[in-house]
Amino acid sequence: MGTADAVRQITPLILACVTAFLLLTKKERYFLAGLCLFGLGIKPQLLYLVFLAVVLWIFRERRWVTLAGALLISSTLLVAAGLYNPHSLDYLSQSYANAMTYVCGIGGILRGILGFQHTWLQYVSPVFGTIWFLWYALRRRARWNWQQDMPILTLVSICTAAYVWYQDFILILPAIIAVAARGAYRSSAALVSYLAVQIAIMVIGGKSLAWLSAAGLLWIPFYLYFYNSPSSEPVTDPPLANHT
């Protein structure tokens, strides 16, 4: 994949939609938050765990207005695409076969080792990702908070996606920002570990693009350790001086 192809990626739009969803749910603008969910459908395999979480949240919290917003924007965009190009949905259905001809992510590495013809190996990592999500959602069901739970969801989702390239890892930014917001940047260990992960990914990724994307798994232990580290505390603004 060349530089020009990387520049033309639409992944930043998905990140913008996720950010808008977080802001709107925090303000309890649930219909508008539903409209932002169209971003999950741009590359549905990337944030599949976020999609599952949204579905469970809608039914558990009865946020039907969010579902209405999501259905409205999805149907509108599908109709608009069909009117603009009647063959647009055919291109979407054909994209699966084209995707399976490329080696990427953990599934691609497994296929390279065990046999490229075994396309089912492409879905091994999403299966484990889904199992982890079910455990996490059950554990967090009484304390669910999108602002706190979205970073780890996006991180695990992108790292275990069936079809992922290195440029898609812009979607782990919420997790990196969450670690920074916890004050981990004040620890030299966090900074050194951050650089170590970056270097390790580049070294591992030197083998192939598949290894480069699969090496993104290293971000998961980095996030879990430094987000939950006792030395990491939420950053708060200093109190204003009381001038008398």
Side-chain angles (χ1 to χ4, degrees):
M1 185 170 293
T3 303
D5 293 326
V7 171
R8 291 194 294 265
Q9 291 300 308
I10 201 170
T11 317
L13 178 59
I14 303 176
L15 182 60
C17 290
V18 170
T19 304
F21 175 80
L22 286 176
L23 293 174
L24 290 168
T25 52
K26 186 175 182 180
K27 294 180 178 295
E28 299 184 355
R29 308 290 295 274
Y30 296 119
F31 178 76
L32 294 179
L35 294 179
C36 296
L37 291 176
F38 83 91
L40 299 182
I42 296 177
K43 289 186 175 182
Q45 81 281 3
L46 294 181
L47 297 183
Y48 69 102
L49 294 181
V50 177
F51 174 80
L52 290 177
V54 168
V55 171
L56 288 179
W57 174 74
I58 287 175
F59 282 90
R60 184 178 64 245
E61 301 294 331
R62 300 182 183 277
R63 303 295 184 189
W64 309 124
V65 67
T66 303
L67 179 61
L71 293 176
L72 174 63
I73 191 67
S74 299
S75 57
T76 300
L77 291 177
L78 284 174
V79 170
L83 292 175
Y84 178 76
N85 185 347
H87 300 290
S88 57
L89 295 182
D90 294 334
Y91 299 150
L92 182 62
S93 63
Q94 294 169 4
S95 63
Y96 169 79
N98 293 330
M100 290 300 103
T101 62
Y102 293 94
V103 176
C104 64
I106 299 172
I109 292 174
L110 293 176
R111 290 173 67 190
I113 296 173
L114 301 176
F116 190 73
Q117 71 276 13
H118 301 307
T119 55
W120 64 270
L121 291 171
Q122 206 72 42
Y123 302 98
V124 170
S125 57
V127 169
F128 281 98
T130 302
I131 294 172
W132 168 85
F133 167 74
L134 294 175
W135 168 83
Y136 182 82
L138 183 64
R139 179 170 170 263
R140 290 281 300 175
R141 66 185 184 279
R143 297 175 290 122
W144 190 266
N145 183 291
W146 278 115
Q147 283 68 41
Q148 295 178 11
D149 296 312
M150 183 66 83
I152 186 64
L153 284 179
T154 56
L155 179 59
V156 176
S157 188
I158 194 71
C159 288
T160 60
Y163 188 81
V164 60
W165 294 102
Y166 64 96
Q167 65 269 12
D168 295 325
F169 275 82
I170 190 176
L171 293 174
I172 73 168
L173 274 178
I176 302 300
I177 293 172
V179 170
R182 296 282 293 179
Y185 64 86
R186 295 177 301 211
S187 167
S188 58
L191 297 177
V192 171
S193 299
Y194 177 83
L195 292 175
V197 170
Q198 293 278 27
I199 293 172
I201 289 175
M202 288 190 295
V203 172
I204 296 172
K207 297 181 179 181
S208 68
L209 292 178
W211 280 97
L212 181 60
S213 55
L217 280 171
L218 294 174
W219 288 118
I220 295 179
F222 172 84
Y223 171 86
L224 292 176
Y225 180 79
F226 287 105
Y227 184 81
N228 298 295
S229 174
S231 60
S232 297
E233 299 177 353
V235 178
T236 57
D237 294 328
L240 296 175
N242 185 16
H243 297 287
T244 58

